[in-house]
C-alpha cells in the first residue's frame, strides 16, 4: 500500500538522485543509448501520434449532420462522438499495465495499427453500426498511442528534460483538438465527403511509418520474465469488468428513451447489467479476487487520499465542460444560422483556441506558484458563469454574445484540465507514477464520454418532447420529429413553411439551453472540489495528459 503525502523535499532529492557525475556548474548529458538525430526523429513520430489522437477526439464534432444524411439512424448519432473516448477509457488501465510489462515499441506499434484500422473502418463504413465500431476501435488504439508517448518520454529522458517533452505532447494534442472540427468540417463540405475526415489518418501515419518501424528504440521493463509469466500477472478479471461496466453504461445512456422507452425490457436489462458489473468490479478490486494488491487494475489505495479524489472530480468536471462546448456549440450554429459544417467549425475556433491557451497558461503558472487549489476554483467559477450565460441563449441571441460566453467556458475548462497530472505525480510514491497518470486519464477521458452520453440522452429525449409539443398541430410522425433533431435538411425543416421552421428551431434552442445546465453542474463540481482541496504549496514539475 503506497503512502500518499506532500513530497516537496523528497521531490527535490529525486531530482538530485537523477544526476550522475555532476559538478557545481555542469550536468553530465543524459545517455539515451541512441544518437541525438535518431531520438529527434522518434520525438517527431510520437508527437505526430499525439496530434492524431487529439484530431480524432474532436473531428466528429462537425461531421455528424452529413453522416446522418448518409445513414439516418438519428438514435445512434451521438455514438459518433461517444465511441472514440469510450474505446479509449475502456482499455486505458489495461494498456498501462501492458506498457509496464512488455516491450514498449511493439505495444506502441500495435496501438498504432489498431488506431489506423479503426480509422479505415470509419471511412469505409457501409452503415452507422460499422462507423460506431470503427470509432471504438480507433479510440482503443489512440489511448495506446498516447500512453506510449508518455512511456517513451519517461523512459528516455532525464527528470530535467521531462517537463519540456511532456509539455510538447500536450501542445500536439491541443493542436490536433483545434484542427479536428476544422478538418472534419472541411472534408464534410467538400467533394471528398466526411469519409476523408477519418481516412486522413492513414496517409499521415504512412508518412511517418519509417520512424515507427526502423527508428523507435526498444525497452523491455521486465526482460527476465517470460511472456507467459507477464500475462499471468495482469488483472484480466478487473480489465473485463471495467470495460464491460463502462460499455454497458454508454449503451444504456445512449438508447434509453430514444431507441427504447424507459420502461421497456431493453433499457431495464441494460441498467441491471451495468449495476452487476459495477458491483462486481468494486468487490473484485476491493478484495483482490483473482489478483493481488500490487497487481490490481485500479489503484484502490488512491481513494484514501482526499487530494487525489478531489483531483479526479475536478478533472472530470473540466473535461465534461470542454466536451459539451465542442459538440453542441456547432449544433446550435448549424440550426439557428444555417451554417455549413466548415463554417460551424470556424465559429468553434474561439472556443478551442482559448481553451488551449488557458491550458498552456495554467501549465506555465503551476510550477511557478506551486499551488493547485486556485486553478480549480477559477475553473469552477468560469464554467458556472459561462454555462449560465449559455443557458440564456435564444434563437435571436447575437453571435458576438455567444462568442463571449464560449470564451468564458473555454477558459474555465482549460485552467484545470491538465493540472492534476502534475499534482498527482508529485504526491504519490515513485512506484505509483504510472498509476497516477492512468487514474487521471480515466477521470479526463471517462468523464468526457459519460458527459457526452448524458447530453446525448437529454438532447434526444427533451428535444423530441419539445419539438412534438411545438408542432402538435401539424401531426408529424415520431420518426419525422426525431429526424428534425439531426439536421437542417430534415423533411420538417426543409418544408419551406417559415412558421413551422421557427417553431422547430425555437424548440431545439430550448433543448440546447437544457444541455448547458450540465456545464453549470460541471462548474459547480469543479468549484466545490477546489474549495475542499488543501491550501498547500508543492514543488511541481509539469506533465501532460490527453
Amino acid at each position: 500500500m503506497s503512502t500518499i503525502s506532500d513530497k516537496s523535499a523528497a521531490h527535490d532529492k529525486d531530482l538530485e538522485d537523477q544526476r550522475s557525475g555532476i559538478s557545481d556548474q555542469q550536468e553530465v548529458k543524459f545517455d539515451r543509448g541512441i544518437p541525438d538525430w535518431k531520438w529527434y526523429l522518434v520525438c517527431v513520430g510520437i508527437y505526430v501520434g499525439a496530434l492524431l489522437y487529439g484530431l480524432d477526439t474532436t473531428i466528429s464534432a462537425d461531421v455528424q449532420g452529413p453522416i446522418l444524411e448518409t445513414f439516418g439512424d438519428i438514435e445512434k448519432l451521438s455514438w459518433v462522438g461517444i465511441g472514440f473516448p469510450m474505446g479509449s477509457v475502456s482499455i486505458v488501465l489495461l494498456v498501462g499495465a501492458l506498457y509496464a510489462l512488455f516491450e514498449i515499441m511493439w505495444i506502441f506499434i500495435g496501438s498504432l495499427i489498431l488506431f489506423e484500422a479503426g480509422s479505415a473502418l470509419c471511412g469505409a463504413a457501409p452503415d452507422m453500426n460499422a462507423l460506431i465500431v470503427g470509432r471504438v476501435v480507433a479510440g482503443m488504439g489512440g489511448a495506446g498511442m498516447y500512453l506510449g508517448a508518455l512511456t517513451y518520454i519517461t523512459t528516455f529522458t532525464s527528470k530535467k528534460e521531462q517537463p519540456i517533452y511532456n509539455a510538447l505532447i500536450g501542445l500536439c494534442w491541443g493542436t490536433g483538438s483545434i484542427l479536428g472540427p476544422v478538418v472534419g468540417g472541411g472534408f464534410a463540405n467538400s467533394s471528398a465527403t466526411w469519409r476523408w475526415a477519418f481516412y486522413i489518418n492513414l496517409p499521415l501515419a504512412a508518412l511517418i511509418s519509417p520512424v515507427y518501424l526502423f527508428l523507435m528504440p526498444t525497452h523491455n521493463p521486465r526482460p527476465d520474465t517470460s511472456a507467459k509469466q507477464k500475462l499471468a500477472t495482469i488483472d484480466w478479471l478487473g480489465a473485463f469488468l471495467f470495460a464491460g461496466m463502462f460499455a454497458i453504461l454508454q449503451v444504456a445512456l445512449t438508447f434509453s428513451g430514444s431507441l427504447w422507452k424507459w420502461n421497456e425490457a431493453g433499457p431495464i436489462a441494460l441498467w441491471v447489467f451495468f449495476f452487476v458489473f459495477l458491483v462486481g468490479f468494486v468487490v473484485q478490486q476491493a478484495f483482490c479476487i483473482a489478483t493481488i494488491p500490487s497487481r490490481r487494475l485500479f489503484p484502490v489505495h488512491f481513494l484514501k487520499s482526499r487530494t487525489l479524489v478531489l483531483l479526479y472530480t475536478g478533472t472530470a468536471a473540466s473535461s465534461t465542460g470542454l466536451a459539451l462546448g465542442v459538440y453542441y456549440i456547432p449544433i446550435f450554429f448549424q440550426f439557428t444560422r444555417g451554417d455549413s459544417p466548415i463554417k460551424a467549425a470556424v465559429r468553434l475556433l474561439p472556443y478551442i483556441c482559448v481553451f488551449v491557451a488557458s491550458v498552456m497558461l495554467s501549465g506555465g503558472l503551476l510550477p511557478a506558484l506551486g499551488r493547485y487549489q486556485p486553478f480549480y476554483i477559477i475553473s469552477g467559477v468560469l464554467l458556472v458563469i459561462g454555462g449560465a450565460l449559455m443557458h440564456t441563449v435564444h434563437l435571436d441571441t447575437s453571435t458576438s454574445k455567444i462568442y463571449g460566453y464560449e470564451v468564458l467556458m473555454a477558459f474555465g475548462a482549460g485552467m484545470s484540465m491538465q493540472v492534476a497530472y502534475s499534482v498527482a505525480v508529485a504526491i504519490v510514491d515513485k512506484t505509483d507514477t504510472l498509476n497516477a497518470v492512468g487514474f487521471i486519464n480515466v477521470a479526463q477521458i471517462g468523464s468526457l464520454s459519460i458527459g457526452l452520453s448524458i447530453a446525448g440522452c437529454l438532447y434526444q429525449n427533451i428535444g423530441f418532447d419539445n419539438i412534438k409539443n411545438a408542432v402538435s398541430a401539424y401531426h408529424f410522425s415520431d420518426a419525422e420529429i426525431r429526424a428534425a433533431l439531426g439536421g437542417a435538411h430534415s423533411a420538417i425543416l426543409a418544408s419551406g413553411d417559415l412558421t413551422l421552421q421557427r417553431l422547430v428551431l425555437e424548440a431545439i434552442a430550448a433543448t440546447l439551453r437544457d444541455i448547458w445546465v450540465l456545464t453549470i453542474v460541471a462548474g459547480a463540481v469543479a468549484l466545490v472540489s477546489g474549495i475542499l482541496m488543501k491550501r498547500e504549496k508543492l514543488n511541481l514539475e509539469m506533465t501532460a495528459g490527453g
Side-chain angles (χ1 to χ4, degrees), residues 99 127 203 223 236 352-353 381 441 460 471:
Y99 272 115
D127 53 39
W236 292 107
I352 297 185
C353 289
V381 169
N441 265 337
Q460 291 295 325
V471 301

Side-chain angles (χ1 to χ4, degrees), residues 4 301-303 305-313 423-425 427-428 436 439-440:
I4 301 170
H301 53 287
F302 283 6
L303 300 180
S305 166
R306 181 179 111 191
T307 299
L308 285 174
V309 171
L310 292 174
L311 289 174
Y312 186 101
T313 57
V423 179
V425 169
I427 67 173
V428 301
F439 183 73
I440 301 302

Side-chain angles (χ1 to χ4, degrees), residues 157-221:
T157 64
S158 67
K159 283 286 185 179
K160 184 177 180 180
E161 296 173 312
Q162 283 176 22
I164 299 173
Y165 284 100
N166 281 325
L168 288 172
I169 291 178
L171 178 62
C172 289
W173 179 84
T175 301
S177 298
I178 293 173
L179 294 175
V182 178
V183 172
F187 280 123
N189 205 38
S190 71
S191 58
T193 76
W194 59 265
R195 294 183 181 275
W196 268 93
F198 303 107
Y199 277 141
I200 190 62
N201 290 325
L202 278 67
L204 290 176
L207 184 64
I208 204 70
S209 61
V211 172
Y212 298 136
L213 295 174
F214 304 114
L215 299 181
M216 297 289 278
T218 59
H219 174 71
N220 188 342

Side-chain angles (χ1 to χ4, degrees), residues 32-277:
R32 290 180 236 282
I34 59 175
D36 286 345
W37 67 267
K38 186 175 181 180
W39 170 245
Y40 296 145
L41 288 175
V42 168
C43 287
V44 170
I46 61 177
Y47 291 147
V48 167
L51 178 74
L52 294 178
Y53 184 53
L55 190 74
D56 257 45
T57 300
T58 59
I59 204 164
S60 66
D62 259 359
V63 299
Q64 296 185 62
I67 288 173
L68 184 66
E69 291 178 24
T70 302
F71 296 135
D73 281 340
I74 178 66
E75 298 88 355
K76 301 176 183 177
L77 184 62
S78 58
W79 275 88
V80 178
I82 294 167
F84 188 83
M86 189 195 79
S88 293
V89 75
S90 294
I91 68 162
V92 66
L93 294 178
L94 175 60
V95 173
L98 293 176
Y99 272 115
L101 292 170
F102 292 92
E103 170 57 60
I104 62 175
M105 182 187 73
W106 292 116
I107 301 296
F108 184 92
I109 291 176
S111 299
L112 175 68
I113 293 172
L114 198 62
F115 176 77
E116 296 301 328
S119 298
L121 178 56
C122 288
D127 53 39
M128 188 70 87
N129 290 333
L131 179 62
I132 292 169
V133 171
R135 288 291 284 164
V136 173
V137 171
M140 295 168 67
M145 289 163 56
Y146 190 81
L147 287 177
L150 290 174
T151 302
Y152 264 104
I153 294 303
T154 302
T155 305
F156 290 96
T157 64
S158 67
K159 283 286 185 179
K160 184 177 180 180
E161 296 173 312
Q162 283 176 22
I164 299 173
Y165 284 100
N166 281 325
L168 288 172
I169 291 178
L171 178 62
C172 289
W173 179 84
T175 301
S177 298
I178 293 173
L179 294 175
V182 178
V183 172
F187 280 123
N189 205 38
S190 71
S191 58
T193 76
W194 59 265
R195 294 183 181 275
W196 268 93
F198 303 107
Y199 277 141
I200 190 62
N201 290 325
L202 278 67
L204 290 176
L207 184 64
I208 204 70
S209 61
V211 172
Y212 298 136
L213 295 174
F214 304 114
L215 299 181
M216 297 289 278
T218 59
H219 174 71
N220 188 342
R222 302 274 293 275
D224 298 328
T225 307
S226 69
K228 184 177 180 180
Q229 291 172 321
K230 291 177 182 179
L231 290 172
T233 66
I234 295 175
D235 181 8
W236 292 107
L237 179 58
F240 168 74
L241 291 172
F242 182 80
M245 171 186 70
F246 204 86
I248 293 171
L249 175 62
Q250 301 304 297
V251 175
L253 286 171
T254 302
F255 293 148
S256 295
S258 56
L259 185 63
W260 300 309
K261 293 181 180 179
W262 286 94
N263 59 356
E264 288 184 357
I268 292 174
L270 284 174
W271 286 108
V272 169
F273 276 112
F274 165 69
F275 283 110
V276 168
F277 271 77

